[in-house]
Amino acid sequence: MKTIGLIGGMSWESTAEYYRHLNEITRERLGGLHSARCVLYSVDFAEIEQLQTQGRWTDAGEILAEAARSLEAAGADLVLICTNTMHKVADAVEAAVSIPLLHLAEATADAVRAAGLSRVGLLGTAFTMEQDFYRGRLESSGLDVSIPDSAGRAVVHRVIYEELCVGVVKEESRAAYRKVMDDLVAAGAEGIILGCTEIELLIGPEDSPVPIFATARLHAEAAVAAAQLA
């Protein structure tokens, strides 16, 4: 297998899930004692979150670009940014290395299309839901993407940063997310993209009336498939 490079720590709660997914998927496909060949560069999320809040995306992009360069130097054959929001700086990361970047939005769009769906609701941080860097990728792949109303977006964003990123899972937050998803489905969504890797800590298939697309798992599946092309 090729070596998978992971830019993680945003938050480490979901990066731990990436590591689990990569190894479980590899074992499922190859059997026995097989596990994923990978290298992890984990950043300090407090620093990244501050740059996000201040709108200093160029500075944040350079931190992730340096992480990608380190992964390439360590022998990675491809690189993943283990967070949806920081794909805002994907171009800077991709330009910093000669190995391919496996884009999370593209892996997600492929999975939605493979399921035969085209109209999806998107949950994520406010950056991911409201800005074009992620939604635009989905829409350019032929998907019709809807997001929650302003109140719903505020709830989804707050729970991510104040609870899930620090490992807190609350039943009342799960209920609030279910309401947001129900509203998206009522407006025509055929599926729900969990466009923040931490949301998978809170929401599972049983919480949605339509199929959900768990982006950390989908990203890991795409990475293992790419690594097995060696």
Side-chain angles (χ1 to χ4, degrees), residues 22-214:
L22 287 170
N23 286 295
E24 286 182 349
I25 295 163
T26 299
R27 184 173 59 196
E28 288 166 5
R29 295 189 179 190
L30 300 181
L33 297 177
H34 284 288
S35 55
R37 205 181 283 273
C38 58
V39 183
L40 169 64
Y41 188 114
S42 189
V43 303
D44 180 0
F45 189 39
E47 181 181 7
I48 298 297
E49 189 274 337
Q50 185 176 46
L51 294 174
Q52 290 175 343
T53 301
Q54 295 172 350
R56 295 168 57 191
W57 294 100
T58 299
D59 293 337
E62 181 49 41
I63 292 173
L64 268 60
E66 180 56 35
R69 287 189 285 265
S70 296
L71 290 170
E72 184 174 24
D77 298 299
L78 66 155
V79 62
L80 280 62
I81 303 172
C82 300
T83 161
N84 290 272
T85 296
M86 292 311 294
H87 277 72
K88 184 173 174 68
V89 300
D91 289 347
V93 174
E94 191 169 29
V97 292
S98 60
I99 57 177
L101 170 73
L102 189 59
H103 200 288
L104 181 47
E106 293 177 0
T108 300
D110 288 345
V112 174
R113 291 197 307 270
L117 306 182
S118 61
R119 301 181 66 186
V120 290
L122 173 63
L123 305 183
T125 67
F127 308 110
T128 299
M129 291 185 288
E130 296 171 1
Q131 298 182 22
D132 187 60
F133 69 91
Y134 192 88
R135 286 172 57 191
R137 285 267 187 163
L138 297 173
E139 290 167 348
S140 67
S141 297
L143 303 183
D144 179 358
V145 182
S146 58
I147 61 174
D149 60 21
S150 59
R153 295 197 302 274
V155 168
V156 171
H157 181 88
R158 181 192 62 76
V159 169
I160 291 169
Y161 280 93
E162 295 182 9
E163 298 176 16
L164 302 180
C165 284
V166 292
V168 175
V169 176
K170 296 182 178 180
E171 283 302 320
E172 56 263 41
S173 296
R174 181 176 288 114
Y177 268 54
R178 285 172 172 165
K179 173 62 166 59
V180 170
M181 292 188 294
D182 286 344
D183 289 345
L184 288 170
V185 172
E190 303 166 324
I192 302 292
I193 294 174
L194 306 184
C196 173
T197 52
E198 281 81 16
I199 296 177
E200 295 166 51
L201 303 173
L202 179 68
I203 295 299
E206 67 279 3
D207 296 305
S208 172
V210 296
I212 63 168
F213 295 88

